[in-house]
Amino acid sequence: MGHIYVFNISGGEPFLRPDIVQIIELACKYLTPGIIHIPTNAISSRLIIKRVDQIVTLLKRNHPHVRLTIKPSLDHIGDKHDEIRGVKGNFEKVMWLYKRLKKLKSHYPNLHVELGTVISRWNVNDIDEISKFVQTLGPDSYRNEIAEQRSEMFNQQDPITPDPQAYRNAIDFFVAQIKENNRKKVLFQRITNAFRLVYYHLAIRIMEQNRQVIPCYAGISNVHMTPYGDIWPCCTLGYDQSMGNLRNFEYDFKRLWINETARQIRRFIYEKKCACPLANQAYSNILMHPPSLLRVLREILISNSNFRIGNCI
């Protein structure tokens, strides 16, 4: 693949991979990422902290410039989180893991401990309560994304996505929190938050209009590789629009990347035959869309001004 900036290890639960440390070691050698990002459900909390400690030791010794972000998922507080996640005691494990990760920061300053909420129909009306609780914990960053029906999750018939108006109300609260606290953040976090503000605005428009509101560069700026060697333009299209399998191309990524199927899928996306508010892809789209990038710059420069979704440029 060559150099990539963000190497994201997704799941399922990534830390159940017994070779996750080796995967990261090889990624650092061949892909030279600047950021490694790993979400986790925190269920196997003691195994997770053991493997994070091993990853930190590896990075500290051989790749001290790499920023490692670990993001436990927090979808509610107490028993409500356990109910949404379907695992009794999960909330306590999230809290235990989060505290242990914060302690690890003293050994590796480039470790960033985040928290993330998947906004679904089961918690969309409680976002203010969840967000206020998260603020008391002081994470390096607090992310959220909308629950989606995705090919990769085989959940396309599940009614998990909140309606646009409920999502707008939830996002308005997040925006207010970011604007209130952004001046206290270091420059890197202010830049991250500025991208987040613009993303929220775009996500609302996508949901309400059910179309791509700015060009999507899935399959160009980003790529997803499954454990089985399938290459996808994004995880939303997933199995429905696979660009090919590396095994069928003798593990020659560049040859797969320019094959006819890959070109047809890029044409499918270019013609706006799909639309989703997938966060990771949206951030790349913003980078490649000058008007949205100007909005990011505007948010960085006037981060102490009043803001609402409805009047974001």
Side-chain angles (χ1 to χ4, degrees):
M1 289 186 185
H3 169 70
I4 62 173
Y5 183 63
V6 179
F7 182 66
N8 182 51
I9 305 178
S10 186
E13 173 49 56
F15 289 101
L16 291 182
R17 291 281 307 203
D19 55 355
I20 189 171
V21 180
Q22 288 74 31
I23 289 173
I24 290 175
E25 185 175 19
L26 290 169
C28 289
K29 179 178 180 180
Y30 293 106
L31 304 180
T32 62
I35 297 174
I36 297 173
H37 176 69
I38 313 176
T40 175
N41 59 31
I43 294 173
S44 300
S45 53
R46 296 187 182 277
L47 174 64
I48 292 166
I49 200 66
K50 176 184 176 181
R51 289 187 172 156
V52 172
D53 188 55
Q54 294 171 340
I55 294 167
V56 164
T57 300
L58 167 71
L59 295 179
K60 187 176 181 180
R61 182 178 65 243
N62 298 331
H63 311 280
H65 63 285
V66 174
R67 186 188 303 271
L68 173 67
T69 67
I70 308 294
K71 185 187 71 174
S73 295
L74 182 68
D75 288 348
H76 219 298
I77 305 167
D79 292 342
K80 291 183 179 180
H81 172 86
D82 295 352
E83 182 180 349
I84 291 173
R85 286 279 162 169
V87 179
K88 189 172 178 59
N90 190 189
F91 176 78
E92 292 182 3
K93 291 182 176 182
V94 171
M95 293 296 96
W96 182 89
L97 178 63
Y98 174 78
K99 292 174 183 177
R100 291 295 297 270
L101 289 171
K102 294 284 279 188
K103 289 182 179 179
L104 267 181
K105 284 173 62 68
S106 62
H107 299 289
Y108 189 66
N110 268 345
L111 172 64
H112 284 241
V113 184
E114 305 182 341
L115 287 169
T117 297
V118 178
I119 302 177
S120 68
R121 61 190 292 262
W122 296 288
N123 64 6
V124 66
N125 296 319
D126 302 326
I127 291 303
D128 56 344
E129 177 187 358
I130 300 167
S131 183
K132 287 176 181 177
F133 174 74
V134 169
Q135 294 303 319
T136 67
L137 300 175
D140 293 321
S141 180
Y142 178 42
R143 305 185 186 211
N144 69 77
E145 59 181 294
I146 190 166
E148 294 180 88
Q149 295 166 317
R150 298 180 182 175
S151 167
E152 68 161 343
M153 295 181 181
F154 306 103
N155 67 350
Q156 290 159 305
Q157 304 303 317
D158 297 339
I160 60 176
T161 306
D163 69 75
Q165 185 55 52
Y167 183 63
R168 175 184 283 274
N169 294 340
I171 291 305
D172 269 351
F173 183 84
F174 277 122
V175 166
Q177 289 285 306
I178 290 174
K179 300 296 289 185
E180 181 180 347
N181 298 317
N182 215 21
R183 293 183 64 185
K184 306 171 187 176
K185 303 293 185 180
V186 299
L187 180 60
F188 175 80
Q189 291 173 330
R190 290 181 67 186
I191 293 172
T192 300
N193 284 340
F195 272 92
R196 201 162 293 155
L197 291 172
V198 175
Y199 162 68
Y200 291 152
H201 174 62
L202 293 174
I204 287 291
R205 290 176 60 198
I206 292 169
M207 289 189 64
E208 291 180 340
Q209 301 176 29
N210 192 30
R211 67 179 183 89
Q212 294 179 25
V213 296
I214 66 173
C216 180
Y217 295 92
I220 298 174
S221 64
N222 296 44
V223 64
H224 291 244
M225 181 171 66
T226 75
Y228 314 106
D230 298 299
I231 299 298
W232 299 343
C234 71
C235 59
T236 302
L237 294 176
Y239 294 102
D240 293 339
Q241 297 286 346
S242 176
M243 302 168 83
N245 187 288
L246 282 168
R247 293 186 176 96
N248 298 331
F249 288 82
E250 299 178 337
Y251 296 95
D252 186 339
F253 176 81
K254 292 182 179 178
R255 189 157 64 92
L256 183 154
W257 194 238
I258 61 172
N259 86 90
E260 181 58 30
T261 299
R263 283 196 288 266
Q264 290 176 3
I265 291 172
R266 292 190 185 101
R267 172 62 60 178
F268 176 91
I269 297 169
Y270 174 77
E271 293 175 352
K272 300 185 177 183
K273 294 180 178 178
C274 58
C276 76
L278 180 64
N280 289 345
Q281 184 59 53
Y283 291 126
S284 295
N285 295 343
I286 290 169
L287 276 170
M288 301 178 74
H289 185 242
S292 295
L293 203 53
L294 284 173
R295 292 185 181 113
V296 171
L297 179 61
R298 176 179 181 269
E299 293 302 332
I300 295 171
L301 295 175
I302 59 170
S303 59
N304 61 334
S305 66
N306 292 327
F307 179 96
R308 282 186 64 81
I309 285 289
N311 62 15
C312 174
I313 296 191

